[in-house]
Amino acid sequence: MRSINMLDLKAEYDLFRDDVREAVDRVLESQYFIGGPEIADFEGEMRSRIGVRDAVAVSSGTDALLCALMALGIGHGDEVVLPSFTFFATGGVVARLGATPVFVDVDEKTFNLDPACLASAISDRTRAIIVVHLFGQCADMDAVREVVADREIPLIEDACQAIDATYRGDPAGSLGDVACFSFYPTKNLGGFGEGGLITTNDEKLGAFARQLCRHGQSDRYFHEHVGGNFRLDTMKAAILKVKLAKLSEFTDRRRKNAIRYDRLLAGSPVTTPFVRDDCKHVYHQYTITCNRRDDLVGFLRERGVGAGVYYPLGLHRQPCFTGKGGGGSLPVTDCLCERVVSLPCHPMLADDDLGYVAGVIHEFFGTTIPADVAKESSAQANA
Ligand SMILES: Cc1ncc(COP(=O)(O)O)c(C=O)c1O
């Protein structure tokens, strides 16, 4: 039976093997495992790619969020507003600092924070808003800014799934006061282990975040603040630099796959991803919605297709947040949790693979791939 997984990291590694080994050798020969020029180079490349004044390499996307909140002084008694439909870390970091996460609903088409819901969640205790660019498409930042208006509430972008995405021409990571990226191996820029990045145009905030990453020390062994050890390993930065060279090409491949799926799935009852005209979607996930989601996932897996459900439960319903910001119902999030399914969309897929996955979905629903679409290759479809 055919096997089409959510990722094919081994096939990707084949494209990088020699350069990765060379980078690893370089670090081994230098015996520089923390800090050093590899980290500085990587931060510099990210700074210019995202178009920001500072970029701080950190140990994970979770630590990027934690450190960003710490740099903004978030703590006990504060409220942080964020969408419920996201990965756990977005809310977990708020609770870890003793602040209260205030979960709001999302837009049913984009899956991103609904600005109208945000308006009613802001209170006198709101100290930050985390906007998640879910699945690789930016949230409506202008609408969010309009809701915040002249209140001085910092906007944090959770751009962990959105490297290279743009909103009205500007890159994710440059749209708020501070932004956080993840280089977890499954991400669009996936590292060899955990990794993350903080970006900001606020040089003071960037410098403070950098200090917090080194236990808050101002000088060696002199600590002005309590921070943590949130540094990215030098070896990982050297490898990420290698992978960065192919990121644009990989993003293009993901986008082509998505366009192809959109066409292949026409005529089936599933809803394909909605893409805003003013956004460049990078398809960290290609996520459809449908009835009988669990049955479809089972059907796909039986036929060798590794579909994923991101996410099966909103953060407002997670047991750990009971009495700590959780509870209540958020109708759109609750509905999406029952209806979403993400399909393999990674850069190593062949046109044939996309056709197979779409064929299985049509088979499940008793529909067929439109005849004209079945005939064209993805090259023709994207010409
Ligand atoms: C939206 C979102 N936020 C935060 C994170 C946390 O990143 P990491 O796994 O690198 O800690 C992730 C990654 O899984 C994510 O997808």
Side-chain angles (χ1 to χ4, degrees), residues 333-344:
T333 297
D334 290 338
C335 175
L336 289 175
C337 288
E338 290 180 1
R339 294 175 58 81
V340 285
V341 50
S342 299
L343 306 177

Side-chain angles (χ1 to χ4, degrees), residues 212-285:
L212 290 171
C213 288
R214 288 151 186 74
H215 287 295
Q217 67 181 15
S218 45
D219 259 318
R220 208 163 163 77
Y221 306 128
F222 289 90
H223 300 263
E224 279 182 0
H225 303 275
V226 177
N229 180 357
F230 302 137
R231 290 173 296 214
L232 181 70
D233 296 334
T234 305
M235 186 91 80
K236 290 178 185 168
I239 294 170
L240 281 165
K241 269 198 305 171
V242 170
K243 294 201 75 181
L244 206 45
K246 277 203 183 293
L247 180 60
S248 300
E249 182 192 328
F250 277 17
T251 300
D252 285 348
R253 290 198 204 178
R254 284 178 183 271
R255 286 165 54 78
K256 283 183 178 155
N257 290 344
I259 292 170
R260 184 73 182 135
Y261 267 143
D262 288 348
R263 290 178 61 73
L264 287 163
L265 291 170
S268 80
V270 309
T271 303
T272 55
F274 173 82
V275 185
R276 291 171 54 105
D277 288 344
D278 52 5
C279 282
K280 176 184 167 195
H281 198 319
V282 295
Y283 295 98
H284 174 57
Q285 300 297 347

Side-chain angles (χ1 to χ4, degrees), residues 286-322:
Y286 181 91
T287 303
I288 59 173
T289 54
C290 61
N291 291 331
R292 299 169 55 212
R293 188 270 316 275
D294 291 343
D295 292 342
L296 174 64
V297 169
F299 194 79
L300 284 160
R301 288 187 183 153
E302 275 165 25
R303 282 150 186 79
V305 178
V309 173
Y310 314 112
Y311 297 91
L313 192 66
L315 297 194
H316 68 293
R317 292 197 182 274
Q318 298 291 347
C320 64
F321 292 130
T322 306

Side-chain angles (χ1 to χ4, degrees), residues 23 31 51 60 63 68 80 95 100 103 124 130 140 143 162-163 195 260 287 294 298 325 361 373 379:
Q31 287 293 298
S60 68
D63 287 344
V80 177
T100 304
F103 300 113
D124 291 346
I130 307 180
D140 189 353
I163 191 159
R260 184 73 182 135
T287 303
D294 291 343
I361 293 173
V373 178

Side-chain angles (χ1 to χ4, degrees), residues 60-62 65 86-87 89-90 132 158 160-161 182 184 187 195 311:
S60 68
T62 304
L65 286 163
T86 179
F87 177 63
T90 322
V132 182
D158 180 338
C160 285
Q161 302 186 359
S182 165
Y184 187 76
K187 292 291 189 274
Y311 297 91

Side-chain angles (χ1 to χ4, degrees), residues 37-276:
E38 299 283 350
I39 293 282
D41 284 359
F42 176 63
E43 289 180 341
E45 282 194 37
M46 296 309 286
R47 219 169 33 232
S48 45
R49 188 173 191 108
I50 296 163
V52 283
R53 294 218 178 98
D54 204 359
V56 183
V58 297
S59 35
S60 68
T62 304
D63 287 344
L65 286 163
L66 185 68
C67 187
L69 287 174
M70 288 169 78
L72 290 167
I74 306 299
H76 282 275
D78 296 338
E79 288 181 357
V80 177
V81 183
L82 66 141
S84 175
F85 192 58
T86 179
F87 177 63
F88 179 78
T90 322
V93 291
V94 176
R96 283 170 64 186
L97 292 173
T100 304
V102 177
F103 300 113
V104 296
D105 219 341
V106 293
D107 177 86
E108 64 182 333
K109 278 161 69 182
T110 63
F111 310 143
N112 280 325
L113 189 144
D114 182 339
C117 300
L118 172 64
S120 50
I122 294 178
S123 80
D124 291 346
R125 293 200 294 158
T126 307
R127 294 287 172 270
I129 294 165
I130 307 180
V131 182
V132 182
H133 304 318
L134 201 71
F135 302 150
Q137 173 162 241
C138 290
D140 189 353
M141 295 301 286
D142 283 355
V144 169
R145 279 188 210 109
E146 216 169 283
V147 171
V148 175
D150 45 12
R151 282 176 282 226
E152 300 224 326
I153 305 174
L155 289 183
I156 303 170
E157 295 175 75
D158 180 338
C160 285
Q161 302 186 359
I163 191 159
D164 272 6
T166 63
Y167 173 79
R168 303 194 169 160
D170 293 323
S174 70
L175 307 168
D177 294 284
V178 58
C180 303
F181 291 89
S182 165
F183 307 125
Y184 187 76
T186 60
K187 292 291 189 274
N188 288 24
L189 178 62
F192 285 17
E194 309 275 0
L197 187 82
I198 298 172
T199 56
T200 181
N201 278 315
D202 178 338
E203 282 159 317
K204 255 174 104 176
L205 190 71
F208 189 25
R210 205 177 285 282
Q211 186 178 356
L212 290 171
C213 288
R214 288 151 186 74
H215 287 295
Q217 67 181 15
S218 45
D219 259 318
R220 208 163 163 77
Y221 306 128
F222 289 90
H223 300 263
E224 279 182 0
H225 303 275
V226 177
N229 180 357
F230 302 137
R231 290 173 296 214
L232 181 70
D233 296 334
T234 305
M235 186 91 80
K236 290 178 185 168
I239 294 170
L240 281 165
K241 269 198 305 171
V242 170
K243 294 201 75 181
L244 206 45
K246 277 203 183 293
L247 180 60
S248 300
E249 182 192 328
F250 277 17
T251 300
D252 285 348
R253 290 198 204 178
R254 284 178 183 271
R255 286 165 54 78
K256 283 183 178 155
N257 290 344
I259 292 170
R260 184 73 182 135
Y261 267 143
D262 288 348
R263 290 178 61 73
L264 287 163
L265 291 170
S268 80
V270 309
T271 303
T272 55
F274 173 82
V275 185
R276 291 171 54 105

